[in-house]
Amino acid sequence: MLTKNNTLLILGILIVHTFGLYAQDGVFEMNRSKIKIKKSGPYIGIQKGKYTNLEIGLERQWKAVKLIKPVTNALHLGINYNLTNNVLGYEMGYWCKVGRLNFTYGGNLLFMTNFSQNRIGFTPVIGYKILGFHLQTGCNLLTYNKNFQNVNTFFVALKFVIINNRDVDIKK
């Protein structure tokens, strides 16, 4: 049997839950501006694993500015080169960060060549981005070729993005 205290507790939970649902639907949401920032520019970097590669490329970032859990998405297109082993790589990738101090998660599509043989693959990456620097670690999952082994399997990469184009879009 329900007592008076249990009834008040259940009623209170239902009221709080109902207001929570309305708040999520925007009934009580204040008329706030929505700010989106688009940034792009070249990056330079170094990748270190079993082999050392130099990297250059372009990156485009989209950020939804919010007080709680801002979301940043980015696409990049780059080239890396290993001078000592004459290995050239092309990569295209995506990463996402939810929050201000959280990790970035993403992946790259790769094409590697030593100018006589080729390998293609995918790289899942996890990283941390702060003040233009992006430290990532990942694992290159490449097609097998027993004659072309001088590529990094596991690596750590440090990139610096030079933002030269910034577009702020404010919608009311």
Side-chain angles (χ1 to χ4, degrees), residues 64-96:
V65 178
K66 294 195 249 177
L67 186 59
I68 299 173
K69 291 192 178 182
V71 177
T72 304
N73 295 290
L75 290 172
H76 68 91
L77 184 63
I79 300 169
N80 61 53
Y81 186 67
N82 181 332
L83 292 166
T84 57
N85 294 305
N86 197 29
V87 174
L88 178 67
Y90 298 99
E91 65 182 25
M92 178 176 57
Y94 166 81
W95 60 262
C96 177

Side-chain angles (χ1 to χ4, degrees), residues 135-152:
L135 180 68
Q136 289 182 316
T137 184
C139 176
N140 290 329
L141 306 171
L142 299 167
T143 56
Y144 181 73
N145 186 337
K146 68 178 180 174
N147 297 323
F148 179 22
Q149 294 293 319
N150 49 353
V151 296
N152 288 331

Side-chain angles (χ1 to χ4, degrees), residues 119-136:
R119 294 178 76 181
I120 59 171
F122 174 75
T123 304
V125 291
I126 184 170
Y128 192 77
K129 183 171 179 2
I130 187 166
L131 297 175
F133 289 97
H134 196 178
L135 180 68
Q136 289 182 316

